[in-house]
Amino acid sequence: MYDVIIVGGGPAGLNAALILGRARRRVLLCDAAEPRNAGTPATWGLFTRDGTPPAELRAKGRADLARYDTVEIRDIKVTGASRDGSGFSVLLADGRSARSRRMILATGLRQDLPPVAGFDTYWGTGVHSCPYCDGYEVRDRPLAIYGRGHGGCGLALELSGWSRDVTLCTDGTDGDLSDKDRARLSGNGIRVVEAAVERLDGDGMRPHRLHFRDGTDIPCVALFVMPFACSPSPLITELGCELDETRSVVPTRDYERTNVPGLFVAGDASRRVQFAVVAAAEGAMAAFAINTEIIAETTR
């Protein structure tokens, strides 16, 4: 019986394990090594680690855990999970199982990209979802946004802080843009292209141009997609977690608690902004809450 099973070995899971290890809790961290940012060359906006490659960051996090003998790491996928009395039971890909008092799901999300040629090719190197993570590196260059409606307008206006050459592409529709949105876009020098998007071309390393089905194209060194549907881990719904209106993330409560007693969700699968530094902080908060709960239970 572990005190805590953590599913996911990104910033949230690693930092949760670190805090729990320092609290001398017996922890099992299971990592399937399927990070959403696997194709991203660098992690930005992380204090003292700005620009660190994601794989290097994860390796450093694991190295930090090596000194804590109550923390066990297994490179394995968790294929199933359930409530087990007052705790939890997980089934591992090798057929073994494990049990714990508490559980943290730090599983992140799987990014579902629009079905446009080239988007998957440049995901992480020229196709992005977060300007705070990737806007600075493409500042003052031609940027495109793939999106519609008020959300697409908002992302385009947001990116105008990084470049004055911004185009909102609505992919064959009027974009459901209100007159007010159109006026704001025009007033800030942002173009709107309503032609259907055909493909994103580049040199294999970075994109160069975005082509439309009407034969036109625009220069594009980076394309930002509106938060398209992201798929949460099946474990989240299997354990009975509530999801938000997008069916993508968990509306966690204080200290990353969910509606399921004893179950915490930290990182990109929770409701907050999806920064590595925020994910790490959420892991720490969940770990703190869990340790506090266990102390209360065992010192009655």
Side-chain angles (χ1 to χ4, degrees), residues 215-291:
T216 61
D217 61 69
I218 59 171
C220 173
V221 300
L223 182 140
F224 289 80
V225 296
M226 276 180 61
F228 263 73
C230 293
S231 302
S233 166
L235 300 176
I236 285 176
T237 51
E238 192 173 328
L239 285 164
C241 281
E242 296 172 346
L243 292 172
D244 73 351
E245 63 278 1
T246 70
R247 309 297 297 168
S248 298
V249 298
V250 178
T252 50
R253 300 160 191 187
D254 61 312
Y255 294 95
E256 307 314 308
R257 291 181 173 89
T258 70
N259 60 295
V260 180
L263 179 63
F264 296 71
V265 172
D268 286 359
S270 75
R271 72 186 190 282
R272 294 188 178 87
V273 293
Q274 295 174 358
F275 298 170
V277 67
V278 173
E282 290 181 3
M285 289 192 294
F288 170 81
I290 287 171
N291 192 56

Side-chain angles (χ1 to χ4, degrees), residues 104-212:
I104 300 175
L105 296 180
T107 50
L109 297 169
R110 188 185 76 243
Q111 183 69 50
D112 298 328
L113 291 171
V116 176
F119 279 21
D120 56 349
T121 302
Y122 295 104
W123 170 245
T125 59
V127 176
H128 310 287
S129 61
C130 173
Y132 290 92
C133 300
D134 299 290
Y136 187 81
E137 282 60 50
V138 292
R139 63 195 181 279
D140 301 323
R141 303 182 72 187
L143 307 180
I145 294 89
Y146 184 98
R148 301 185 178 98
H150 188 65
C153 172
L155 182 55
L157 291 168
E158 192 172 32
L159 277 160
S160 67
W162 282 271
S163 175
R164 301 306 299 175
D165 188 350
V166 176
T167 303
L168 174 61
C169 306
T170 64
D171 195 18
T173 74
D174 63 7
D176 298 321
L177 294 166
S178 67
D179 291 342
K180 182 178 179 180
D181 284 338
R182 289 182 181 275
R184 290 185 72 195
L185 292 167
S186 176
N188 286 277
I190 297 170
R191 297 176 296 278
V192 177
V193 175
E194 296 176 355
V197 177
E198 183 176 69
R199 70 184 187 280
L200 182 65
D201 276 348
D203 60 9
M205 298 294 292
R206 302 281 314 184
H208 290 162
R209 303 194 76 81
L210 186 64
H211 295 264
F212 302 93

